[in-house]
């Protein structure tokens, strides 16, 4: 039998099996490498998405709380579910306010009010020392006004008009008066954070949460919150009253989880304590 030249000869079975095994090992290695790279990219993307979401809500909360009415920050709902505060529009210096035993009055003169107020500003606050008085509109600390005759300059007093004769509970040592809006709340519900506004003083459900009625707004701020779980609860909000040594504090601890990625944001917000 004539033997074929080497370049025309085929492969033996052993050679074919060897090549198949080698190719299989190489393919498995390449697949594992690609899978690892894809997983690393996915994990990094999830982590970046969590950090971006957390940073947005934390920075927004910081900015709003720092401009809150002194002593108005408190927690409501079960397990400190919500952080509530009263936003300030502007502050002014009053010339005189009606305080018992003085007769009641339906107007107050203020100075240093140059710019117009926001359309949502409805109340004034004087010498608010604690949150119980602030959220009780009958305490003599918060009063709703009907209109403001704004002089537009510092030299001429502006006049705050009230629908009825009112009496404030006490005078401020610095004669400071705040123009404020209705309360705002950040609430952790299920796996998300919502921002409530416009529900007014006393607009709460039986659970203690803000009532998202027709006049209120409820806006989704962040998802993937895992503060409440079967493994244990992490209180999202805590507040500490002001002392002579420091300002009031609002502590936030928010846990974000997405596709096994976990980020916990601990944040401390200082609130001015000059009522």
């Amino acid at each position: 039998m004539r033997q074929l030249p080497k370049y025309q000869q085929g492969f033996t079975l052993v050679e074919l099996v060897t090549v198949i095994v080698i190719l299989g090992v190489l393919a498995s290695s390449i697949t594992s490498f690609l899978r690892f790279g894809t997983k690393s990219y996915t994990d990094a993307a999830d982590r970046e998405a969590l950090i971006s979401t957390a940073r947005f809500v934390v920075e927004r909360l910081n900015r709003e709380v720092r401009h809150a009415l002194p002593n108005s920050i408190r927690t409501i709902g079960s397990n400190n579910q919500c952080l509530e505060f009263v936003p300030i529009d502007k502050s002014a210096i009053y010339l005189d306010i009606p305080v018992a035993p003085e007769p009641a009055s339906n107007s107050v003169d203020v100075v240093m009010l140059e710019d117009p107020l926001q359309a949502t500003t409805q109340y004034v606050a004087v010498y608010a020392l604690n949150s119980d008085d602030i959220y009780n509109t009958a305490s003599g600390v918060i009063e709703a006004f009907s209109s403001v005759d704004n002089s537009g300059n510092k030299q001429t007093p502006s006049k705050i008009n009230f629908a009825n004769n009112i009496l404030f509970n006490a005078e401020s040592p610095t004669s400071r008066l705040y123009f404020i809006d209705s309360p705002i709340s950040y609430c952790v519900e299920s796996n998300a954070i919502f921002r409530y506004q416009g529900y007014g003083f006393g607009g709460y459900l039986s659970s203690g949460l803000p009532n998202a009625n027709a006049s209120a707004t409820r806006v989704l701020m962040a998802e993937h919150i895992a503060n409440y779980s079967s493994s244990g609860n992490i209180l999202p909000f805590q507040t500490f009253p002001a002392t002579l040594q420091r300002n009031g504090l609002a502590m936030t601890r928010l846990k974000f989880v997405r596709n096994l990625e976990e980020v916990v944001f601990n944040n401390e917000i200082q609130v001015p304590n000059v009522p």
Side-chain angles (χ1 to χ4, degrees):
M1 182 176 180
R2 187 169 63 88
Q3 187 176 8
L4 295 174
K6 284 188 176 182
Y7 66 87
Q8 293 183 353
Q9 293 180 4
F11 297 101
T12 65
L13 180 61
V14 173
E15 291 173 331
L16 287 174
V17 171
T18 302
V19 170
I20 291 172
V21 170
I22 293 174
L23 290 177
V25 172
L26 290 176
S28 177
S29 301
I30 294 173
T31 302
S32 299
F33 177 76
L34 293 176
R35 185 184 298 113
F36 175 77
T38 302
K39 186 177 185 303
S40 298
Y41 173 79
T42 303
D43 291 345
D46 288 341
R47 190 179 303 111
E48 180 62 28
L50 281 181
I51 292 175
S52 297
T53 300
R55 184 180 294 117
F56 166 75
V57 68
V58 168
E59 289 182 356
R60 175 69 181 269
L61 184 59
N62 281 358
R63 186 165 59 251
E64 291 198 82
V65 169
R66 286 197 180 102
H67 290 86
L69 180 68
N71 303 314
S72 70
I73 298 178
R74 66 174 185 174
T75 56
I76 58 176
S78 61
N79 294 318
N80 293 11
Q81 189 174 353
C82 299
L83 182 67
E84 185 177 39
F85 55 91
V86 176
I88 295 174
D89 182 358
K90 290 179 176 58
S91 64
I93 302 299
Y94 63 79
L95 300 181
D96 189 25
I97 60 171
V99 177
E102 299 176 4
S105 175
N106 63 357
S107 66
V108 171
D109 291 334
V110 297
V111 294
M112 298 180 65
L113 182 61
E114 300 181 50
D115 301 324
L117 299 172
Q118 297 181 12
T120 55
T121 302
Q122 308 171 27
Y123 303 90
V124 293
V126 175
Y127 205 41
L129 295 179
N130 59 75
S131 60
D132 291 338
D133 289 341
I134 292 172
Y135 293 96
N136 177 13
T137 54
S139 64
V141 172
I142 304 292
E143 294 289 349
F145 63 87
S146 56
S147 64
V148 176
D149 299 329
N150 194 342
S151 66
N153 61 73
K154 296 181 180 180
Q155 288 71 34
T156 305
S158 299
K159 185 180 292 293
I160 306 172
N161 302 305
F162 301 89
N164 302 300
N165 289 338
I166 55 99
L167 279 173
F168 284 96
N169 187 49
E171 291 213 34
S172 166
T174 57
S175 299
R176 189 187 302 272
L177 177 146
Y178 291 100
F179 291 90
I180 60 174
D181 199 349
S182 61
I184 292 175
S185 293
Y186 280 76
C187 296
V188 176
E189 300 177 42
S190 298
N191 297 319
I193 296 181
F194 292 90
R195 180 183 183 274
Y196 289 86
Q197 185 176 16
Y199 53 90
F201 289 93
Y204 306 97
L205 301 173
S206 57
S207 62
L209 297 181
N211 184 8
N213 50 40
S215 61
T217 57
R218 180 176 182 262
V219 179
L220 176 64
M221 301 299 293
E223 295 181 298
H224 309 295
I225 303 294
N227 278 64
Y228 303 118
S229 65
S230 57
S231 60
N233 295 333
I234 299 176
L235 297 180
F237 306 112
Q238 290 180 283
T239 59
F240 301 91
T243 67
L244 295 177
Q245 289 76 33
R246 60 163 174 79
N247 290 331
L249 293 177
M251 305 288 292
T252 62
R253 189 180 185 194
L254 301 174
K255 181 180 179 181
F256 296 82
V257 176
R258 179 179 179 182
N259 296 337
L260 301 181
E261 286 294 326
E262 180 178 314
V263 176
V264 178
F265 266 68
N266 293 298
N267 189 43
E268 178 182 293
I269 311 171
Q270 294 198 23
V271 186
N273 61 342
V274 181

